[in-house]
Amino acid sequence: QVNKQTNNTTTTMGKPKIRPPSIVDSLSFPVFGLTWHGTPATPKNDGVSFTAYCGGGGSAKTGVGNKIVCDLIAQQVVHNEELFEHSNHTTARRTVEISTGEALCFGIHAFRPYDDTLQMIRLVACVGDEILLYGIPIHISSSSSSSTEGEKEGAAILLAKANVGNGYGANVATYTAMFNVQQNKLQHLIAVGCENGHLV
């Protein structure tokens, strides 16, 4: 056994000592990608914490499915118009699962555009030679706390997809927004790192 002392926290090899607010979740499948997007609640804007991870058993018939699991916590601010400040808030949490079929998802990236009008967290997923852009609604009217891809209320919506090249193998992706001065508009850009050594 090897013990390490870091910031007054002792850990034993293979058995990390986790202290609150840190947590450890045990999953039923190997994880290949992880993303986390969050914005704090303010007097004028709602807060959101969105985490997603992907993985599975691959193409092997092991009984372990390939999927993306999204965990969303939305904090909705209730405004007090007279005091010009928020006086209360409600918090809702739900889990959304997205099946990727027989293909593994290796890379995911969550973001919310500056000019978002859909009230959705965007999720870029690298599956095979494709990048898939999903939208996950932040607020839902249903009282249900969980959903799957087959359900309509609060489920992930496939907004767009693109093939980066046959045999390329999309592995990782990232996003940024840049203002195009010549076109006088905001552009949304996605970069993809591929298994064959190309950046797209």
Side-chain angles (χ1 to χ4, degrees):
Q1 289 185 332
V2 178
N3 293 332
K4 295 182 179 180
Q5 186 76 21
T6 305
N7 296 329
N8 297 325
T9 300
T10 302
T11 61
T12 303
M13 187 67 71
K15 296 181 179 180
K17 184 176 181 180
I18 303 298
R19 294 181 177 177
S22 300
I23 60 174
V24 174
D25 285 335
S26 297
L27 306 176
S28 60
F29 61 90
V31 175
F32 295 101
L34 174 68
T35 184
W36 191 354
H37 170 82
T39 53
T42 68
K44 294 183 178 180
N45 298 298
D46 297 340
V48 62
S49 176
F50 177 87
T51 57
Y53 52 89
C54 60
S59 59
K61 305 298 182 180
T62 61
V64 179
N66 303 312
K67 59 185 176 180
I68 304 169
V69 180
C70 309
D71 189 13
L72 188 146
I73 302 174
Q75 188 177 64
Q76 192 166 15
V77 178
V78 179
H79 299 281
N80 187 318
E81 298 294 340
E82 295 181 357
L83 299 178
F84 298 100
E85 62 181 12
H86 68 287
S87 57
N88 198 3
H89 68 269
T90 59
T91 301
R93 177 172 182 168
R94 73 181 193 276
T95 298
V96 176
E97 292 190 5
I98 306 169
S99 172
T100 59
E102 295 185 359
L104 272 172
C105 177
F106 281 100
I108 48 178
H109 182 78
F111 65 95
R112 188 177 182 186
Y114 294 107
D115 56 350
D116 178 36
T117 59
L118 299 177
Q119 291 295 305
M120 289 183 175
I121 298 295
R122 309 304 200 277
L123 180 69
V124 179
C126 300
V127 182
D129 293 335
E130 293 184 326
I131 52 171
L132 311 175
L133 177 63
Y134 289 96
I136 295 89
I138 296 175
H139 301 294
I140 58 175
S141 57
S142 173
S143 59
S144 175
S145 61
S146 64
S147 65
T148 61
E149 192 178 24
E151 297 176 287
K152 293 182 180 180
E153 190 70 23
I157 301 171
L158 181 60
L159 301 176
K161 66 178 180 179
N163 191 304
V164 295
N166 292 332
Y168 273 46
N171 275 352
V172 293
T174 189
Y175 158 88
T176 191
M178 294 186 66
F179 186 78
N180 189 314
V181 178
Q182 295 179 342
Q183 298 182 10
N184 193 32
K185 68 177 183 179
L186 188 67
Q187 289 186 325
H188 303 283
L189 308 174
I190 293 176
V192 183
C194 303
E195 187 176 351
N196 67 352
H198 285 75
L199 290 175
V200 181

